[in-house]
Amino acid sequence: MVNVIKQKDRNELDKKVPTMPWYVDKFINYKLPDLSPSSLLEYVRDYEMFFNWLMAEGISEATCARDIPIEVLEKLKMDNVDHYKMFLATKKENANTKTTISRKLSSLRSLFHYLSQIAEDDDFYPLLKRNVMAKVEIKRTHKPKDSAAKLEGKLLQEIEILEFIEYVKAGYPLSVSRNKQALYSYELNRIRDVCLISLILNSGLRVSEVVNMNIEDLDMKKRLLYVYRKGKNDETFKTPVYFRQDAVEELQSYMEIRSTRYNPDKREKALFLAVANGSKEGKRMTKRAIQEMVIKYAKSFGKPYLSVHKLRHSFATDYYLRNDLYKTQEQLGHASPETTQIYAHLTDRTMAEAIDKRE
């Protein structure tokens, strides 16, 4: 079964790569076995922005990105790189955060490193003779302590997790009792919405993992879900992820009405479904639909800053209090324990207390 998001990103990647210079195509093919299509697509989008800037600034006379010769990269000066950083930081539309700027520069550095250190021409010389990006220092902006500080007070704490689920179950219709359209939509999707939110708050799944889930990925007896984890490029392997007993009842309720309520085509294997306006058949819920659904309930609940990702953080903080750092890392699918340390900073309790606590 193909990862839906990866397939979509792979299709977009296949469309974008031919619009890039030949040396980017070479780099993407080099990286293809090691990185997911989603990651490679981010690279290409970063290069697209950079090449468009080179043309807009007159640094390259080419009229399309594909025609920018590699010699243009060789002749770039540190001043050019500094101006590009300034452009990224001061864009009028969608101004970039420090983290995003660092990532975009890191994408460029990966390309330049490949061209100057790995790729060779027919005479075994590097394709890029001079690498200006080797001089660029990219400061690490993502520190667990800083991330924790930003999340402080913006997550559901212990009892609030149960309160939010209960609110979606029974409190929301009281808040929109005068809005017939909102009530109708709520009643139509209440069981699904409760199930989905409860599942995230009892497993810590990412929204992409929820979107990709199929019916066969659910094992109710073992309380397991099989998901494509971020960063793993193997299309054939799904990682088992446990969910808490608290989500079982909601999952059972949803599975009972999934077919009759959403009337999916027999070939539709998605676990979570939605019926689009004007359609009679339920199809796989999109990432955006899930995000908007969570925001709708969060605003009404009085916590407008909540998002799907913050529900994941809420679970993780709660889980960390009852388990150790490495169990939390495994449950969340973090590549590094350093990322998981956010949750150590989010609580005042010591590691020793957290390890001793169990469900």
Side-chain angles (χ1 to χ4, degrees):
M1 188 61 66
V2 178
N3 180 326
V4 176
I5 293 176
K6 278 188 181 176
Q7 187 59 56
K8 182 172 174 285
D9 287 345
R10 182 60 200 259
N11 292 343
E12 192 174 344
L13 183 68
D14 290 343
K15 285 179 187 174
K16 278 192 178 289
V17 169
T19 69
M20 293 284 103
W22 62 271
Y23 45 87
V24 171
D25 188 356
K26 198 172 174 68
F27 171 71
I28 295 299
N29 280 318
Y30 169 72
K31 285 286 188 182
L32 206 51
D34 302 317
L35 292 177
S36 70
S38 309
S39 299
L40 291 170
L41 185 58
E42 284 299 321
Y43 272 123
V44 172
R45 284 172 179 157
D46 290 343
Y47 302 150
E48 189 175 43
M49 179 176 284
F50 178 64
F51 291 137
N52 285 339
W53 179 82
L54 287 178
M55 291 185 290
E57 290 292 306
I59 296 168
S60 171
E61 293 177 3
T63 54
C64 67
R66 192 179 57 224
D67 296 335
I68 295 177
I70 198 167
E71 289 77 19
V72 168
L73 305 189
E74 268 178 356
K75 292 174 182 175
L76 286 174
K77 298 176 181 176
M78 275 304 293
D79 274 356
N80 299 133
V81 178
D82 289 338
H83 289 155
Y84 184 59
K85 282 164 72 175
M86 187 65 72
F87 161 75
L88 291 175
T90 57
K91 268 201 328 168
K92 286 183 179 177
E93 291 181 18
N94 301 322
N96 295 285
T97 63
K98 286 182 181 178
T99 305
T100 306
I101 292 169
S102 291
R103 199 207 72 232
K104 288 182 184 298
L105 292 175
S106 185
S107 294
L108 285 175
R109 197 158 71 168
S110 294
L111 173 65
F112 279 61
H113 174 79
Y114 165 75
L115 295 173
S116 63
Q117 301 295 319
I118 298 167
E120 300 171 335
D121 63 18
D122 292 340
D123 297 318
F124 310 108
Y125 285 105
L127 288 179
L128 193 70
K129 312 294 187 288
R130 180 179 161 275
N131 178 6
V132 70
M133 290 305 295
K135 300 177 183 180
V136 179
E137 185 185 351
I138 300 173
K139 292 179 181 176
R140 189 167 166 271
T141 57
H142 180 77
K143 293 179 182 175
K145 206 167 186 177
D146 296 339
S147 299
K150 286 180 183 176
L151 290 170
E152 198 71 57
K154 292 184 178 177
L155 304 180
L156 297 171
Q157 304 290 329
E158 297 184 78
I159 192 67
E160 287 179 328
I161 289 175
L162 299 175
E163 287 173 352
F164 184 55
I165 295 170
E166 192 54 41
Y167 177 78
V168 178
K169 263 187 198 173
Y172 179 78
L174 302 176
S175 304
V176 295
S177 56
R178 294 183 182 181
N179 186 333
K180 287 184 180 179
Q181 193 175 347
L183 268 177
Y184 173 75
S185 174
Y186 168 75
E187 286 303 332
L188 204 62
N189 297 303
R190 181 180 70 85
I191 294 171
R192 180 202 67 188
D193 294 356
V194 171
C195 175
L196 209 157
I197 286 171
S198 174
L199 185 60
I200 295 170
L201 283 169
N202 283 292
S203 66
L205 290 175
R206 297 177 176 92
V207 65
S208 59
E209 293 164 355
V210 174
V211 169
N212 276 306
M213 270 193 300
N214 295 322
I215 299 172
E216 69 260 28
D217 298 330
L218 176 63
D219 187 332
M220 294 291 281
K221 287 181 182 177
K222 294 181 181 176
R223 286 195 286 136
L224 272 179
L225 296 157
Y226 293 88
V227 303
Y228 289 111
R229 289 245 101 143
K230 183 181 174 185
K232 293 187 189 294
N233 202 26
D234 188 346
E235 296 288 348
T236 61
F237 179 74
K238 288 189 175 186
T239 304
V241 177
Y242 284 96
F243 57 89
R244 285 175 168 162
Q245 182 66 37
D246 291 0
V248 169
E249 191 180 328
E250 278 79 17
L251 272 163
Q252 286 172 337
S253 298
Y254 172 67
M255 290 306 290
E256 284 170 11
I257 60 99
R258 177 187 172 277
S259 296
T260 52
R261 180 68 52 87
Y262 294 97
N263 188 35
D265 183 280
K266 287 180 182 177
R267 292 166 295 179
E268 181 56 82
K269 300 298 182 187
L271 180 60
F272 289 107
L273 303 169
V275 179
N277 289 335
S279 175
K280 291 181 180 179
E281 288 183 351
K283 298 207 180 299
R284 187 180 299 272
M285 240 183 137
T286 64
K287 184 177 175 181
R288 186 171 180 179
I290 294 172
Q291 288 169 331
E292 287 178 352
M293 181 262 285
V294 169
I295 289 167
K296 174 184 77 173
Y297 290 122
K299 281 182 178 175
S300 189
F301 185 62
K303 291 188 180 287
Y305 42 77
L306 273 181
S307 61
V308 181
H309 206 62
K310 287 195 176 72
L311 295 188
R312 171 174 155 85
H313 282 311
S314 299
F315 163 81
T317 308
D318 190 63
Y319 186 86
Y320 171 77
L321 287 170
R322 293 160 171 77
N323 296 277
D324 60 41
L325 188 72
Y326 296 100
K327 276 191 177 179
T328 308
Q329 177 192 349
E330 191 176 342
Q331 177 69 22
L332 296 174
H334 286 157
S336 163
E338 202 168 305
T339 311
T340 318
Q341 283 172 359
I342 293 170
Y343 309 109
H345 293 294
L346 270 169
T347 173
D348 293 326
R349 305 189 191 190
T350 63
M351 181 75 84
E353 287 175 315
I355 289 171
D356 289 337
K357 286 184 180 268
R358 290 290 183 272
E359 277 189 271

